Structure formats: structure tokens, C-alpha cells
Amino acid sequence: MARATTSIRPHALAYLPHGDTSRRRPGPAAVWDAMGHRDGEVLIRKPSYGAFYDTPLDTILRNLGRDTVIVTGTLTNYCCGTTARQAYERGYRVVFGADVTATDDETRQEPELAVLRKGFALVLTAAEIEARLAAGAAAPADRG
């Protein structure tokens, strides 16, 4: 008998190896408060690995006239990589932070960065991202 899933998660979750664990994420306040969330900042609660899946992120970015997404966070080979691919599929320029993303298995970091470099994102260090932002060119028109 299949285990029931919540309506906000993809139905395939029940079939993943970790889908039947009792692990629970901390509530949003426990995460956002520690990060120093400020009034007026947009918060998006993502129900799955990618930040675009079943969230208003695409609509928000388009309404703001943005064409570039900079990806940072954890896990490189799950949430970050999925978000980069979803952004690319939606036509955004994707900049992926090589040293501001992390995995729970360091042997997976470089292979994921290699895939992203080859087909989905401009992979840069935080210093390189900061320099391009300061220069007013977060990502070149050529993804190469």
C-alpha cells in the first residue's frame, strides 16, 4: 500500500528512499528569523527541490523585469541544481555560485558544477559574482 503524501509535495516523494522518514523541516520562522528576514522582502516557501516548482517565483521575477537568477545555497546537486535547470528552462540567464553552494557529499560538488557549466549556467565564485554585479554585468549574453 502506498504511503500518503501531502498535497504540496510531488506525489513521487513516497517512492524515494527518504520518503518514509519521520524527519521534519523546521518551521519557516525558525529559518527566516535566523537569516535576518526584513519587512518588505519576498519570502517563497518551496514545496520541492526547485524554487520554481509550484511557487510564484517566476511571476515575481518577471514582474520585476529580471532576466538573471543567481543561485546559492544547499544542496548543490539537489535544490540548487534543480533551481538552476528550472530557471534555464524558463529563459533566465543563470549564474551559479561555485563556492556559495554546498553538498552533503563533497565528491558530488564538482561533477554537478561541470554539468551546470556545460548546459545550464555560468558558474562563478562569489568574488566573481560580486565583481560582475559591481560592474553592472551580472551575466554576459553568451552563456559560454
Side-chain angles (χ1 to χ4, degrees), residues 6-135:
T6 65
S7 62
I8 62 168
R9 296 288 296 185
H11 295 292
L13 178 65
Y15 301 102
L16 296 176
H18 66 278
D20 62 352
T21 67
S22 61
R23 179 176 113 36
R24 296 285 177 248
R25 293 180 179 177
V31 175
W32 296 330
D33 289 347
M35 292 175 62
H37 171 257
R38 294 177 292 215
D39 288 338
E41 288 181 329
V42 176
L43 295 175
I44 296 173
R45 184 172 180 137
K46 53 186 202 75
S48 189
Y49 295 129
F52 287 88
Y53 173 81
D54 202 20
T55 73
L57 181 58
D58 187 43
T59 300
I60 291 167
L61 293 173
R62 292 192 192 284
N63 285 340
L64 292 171
R66 303 298 190 252
D67 66 355
T68 303
V69 172
I70 301 173
V71 180
T72 68
T74 61
L75 292 167
T76 302
N77 53 320
Y78 286 95
C79 298
C80 298
T82 301
T83 296
R85 288 169 177 83
Q86 290 175 345
Y88 174 82
E89 290 171 344
R90 287 164 175 79
Y92 290 96
R93 295 177 182 177
V94 181
V95 178
F96 197 92
D99 58 350
V100 287
T101 56
T103 68
D104 59 351
D105 176 352
E106 67 183 57
T107 66
R108 299 185 188 277
Q109 180 79 2
E110 282 304 319
E112 179 68 8
L113 294 178
V115 169
L116 293 168
R117 268 187 206 101
K118 185 156 181 132
F120 301 100
L122 178 62
V123 178
L124 302 171
T125 65
E128 292 169 326
I129 294 169
E130 287 180 37
R132 287 180 183 234
L133 288 172

